[in-house]
Amino acid sequence: MSAAPLDQRPATTGDAEAAFPQSGRERLIVPQPISFQGTGLYNSEMTSLQRVHQGAVFMMGDNPALPRMPKCPTLLDFFRLRFSELAFRHLLQSARLAVNAGQEERVVMACLLHDISNGALIRTDHGYWSAQLVAPYVSEEIAWAVKYHQALKYFADESVGFKYPDAYLGYFGEDYTPPEYIRQAHDEARNHRWYMTSRLITLYDEYAFRKDLEIDPESFTDIIGRHFRQPKEGLGFDGSPTAHMWRTMIWPNNFL
Ligand SMILES: [Fe+2]
Ligand SMILES: [Fe+2]
């Protein structure tokens, strides 16, 4: 199974027919400031502001171009309804490889979550963002492993057969060296009691997609049930320290 493009995924919520907010008006989307810094892309903030004075509004709430999320979204709802196809397949493949290798459930869960912020939030420093997103809902060890996998990825560990990824040579150039904070994070992690949990993430963190693997989010329902404390109010609405990050993925186009 692969994730369809976002605009082709069905809304799964019972209130799919409910009206979208701000109906009847032109709803303007201004990209997040961080997404066009330094890119040369046109920043529409100022021109959008002028159009608001002429009757348009800034988008707030459900965007009809995205599948509507249920009122109490679960982790798998984010996988199915918000994550990019790349992140969807990559996370499910990593977790499946860990299961097939006979790893413990906490390692599988860490693999399933390790790049979660790349799914629909932010790529930069993704280990840190991903760890923070899930920290209220998983064990301290899983969040720790997710955080440090970003740094460990740049450093070989021959004891488990992990070498510097060939993919990184292409992604970043052969002369790239990671910055000091990544080196420090690696050194810290290396001597930590949870080192191997994080290291195992990097082992199943393959960039090529395997055609022979089952990529089905439902197959992880039981493991998620045991290792991810889904709030009854839904992710984004439980008042946790990271609820706003989940809401940002539900409504990525909100102006404020
Ligand atoms: Fe990663
Ligand atoms: Fe990854």
Side-chain angles (χ1 to χ4, degrees):
M1 175 179 174
S2 68
L6 278 177
D7 58 358
Q8 291 170 24
R9 294 183 209 173
T12 56
T13 166
D15 63 353
E17 301 82 30
F20 287 97
Q22 304 172 307
S23 62
R25 277 163 292 175
E26 185 185 9
R27 304 171 76 200
L28 305 176
I29 297 174
V30 179
Q32 300 297 338
I34 202 164
S35 67
F36 48 83
Q37 291 278 331
T39 62
L41 292 173
Y42 175 64
N43 182 343
S44 60
E45 263 178 350
M46 294 305 283
T47 49
S48 295
L49 206 54
Q50 284 163 8
R51 287 168 67 195
V52 161
H53 293 312
Q54 295 155 6
V57 291
F58 287 121
M59 184 173 285
M60 297 295 278
D62 288 346
N63 177 351
L66 290 172
R68 204 196 300 252
M69 296 286 284
K71 281 202 166 60
C72 298
T74 64
L75 178 64
L76 286 186
D77 288 324
F78 283 89
F79 269 76
R80 285 187 291 249
L81 301 174
R82 283 296 179 273
F83 287 2
S84 71
E85 185 176 357
L86 186 73
F88 177 91
R89 292 177 62 184
H90 177 66
L91 291 172
L92 290 167
Q93 173 173 294
S94 301
R96 177 55 51 199
L97 288 172
V99 169
N100 292 356
Q103 294 297 341
E104 291 177 33
E105 287 191 353
R106 63 196 161 82
V107 172
V108 175
M109 194 68 218
C111 289
L112 190 64
L113 297 173
H114 76 281
D115 288 340
I116 190 169
S117 88
N118 308 22
L121 190 61
I122 194 161
R123 305 184 65 83
T124 304
D125 257 335
H126 70 286
Y128 297 80
W129 284 91
S130 296
Q132 202 169 5
L133 252 174
V134 302
Y137 312 107
V138 298
S139 68
E140 209 181 326
E141 179 178 357
I142 290 175
W144 187 95
V146 168
K147 174 180 171 181
Y148 282 95
H149 93 274
Q150 179 186 334
L152 293 185
K153 195 81 191 172
Y154 294 94
F155 299 90
D157 181 349
E158 284 169 15
S159 76
V160 291
F162 181 82
K163 63 185 188 66
Y164 185 81
D166 288 339
Y168 278 15
L169 297 172
Y171 289 175
F172 310 128
E174 295 192 2
D175 55 349
Y176 178 75
T177 53
E180 188 52 32
Y181 78 93
I182 289 289
R183 295 182 170 280
Q184 280 175 12
H186 164 261
D187 294 347
E188 259 169 56
R190 197 85 192 195
N191 300 310
H192 196 281
R193 68 187 187 284
W194 293 330
Y195 167 68
M196 198 44 71
T197 312
S198 193
R199 172 51 77 196
L200 286 170
I201 294 176
T202 68
L203 213 54
Y204 304 114
D205 190 16
E206 291 187 8
Y207 294 118
F209 289 118
R210 298 210 190 176
K211 293 206 172 76
D212 55 326
L213 278 184
E214 179 195 20
I215 300 294
D216 177 10
E218 309 301 329
S219 67
F220 294 100
T221 303
D222 290 347
I223 290 181
I224 292 171
R226 287 189 284 273
H227 296 272
F228 190 94
R229 293 182 288 275
Q230 308 225 55
K232 64 180 186 323
E233 303 89 344
L235 290 163
F237 306 104
D238 58 335
S240 88
T242 63
H244 62 290
M245 295 162 71
W246 295 90
R247 289 195 302 272
T248 299
M249 294 193 283
I250 296 171
W251 295 300
N253 311 116
N254 277 4
F255 185 64
L256 294 175

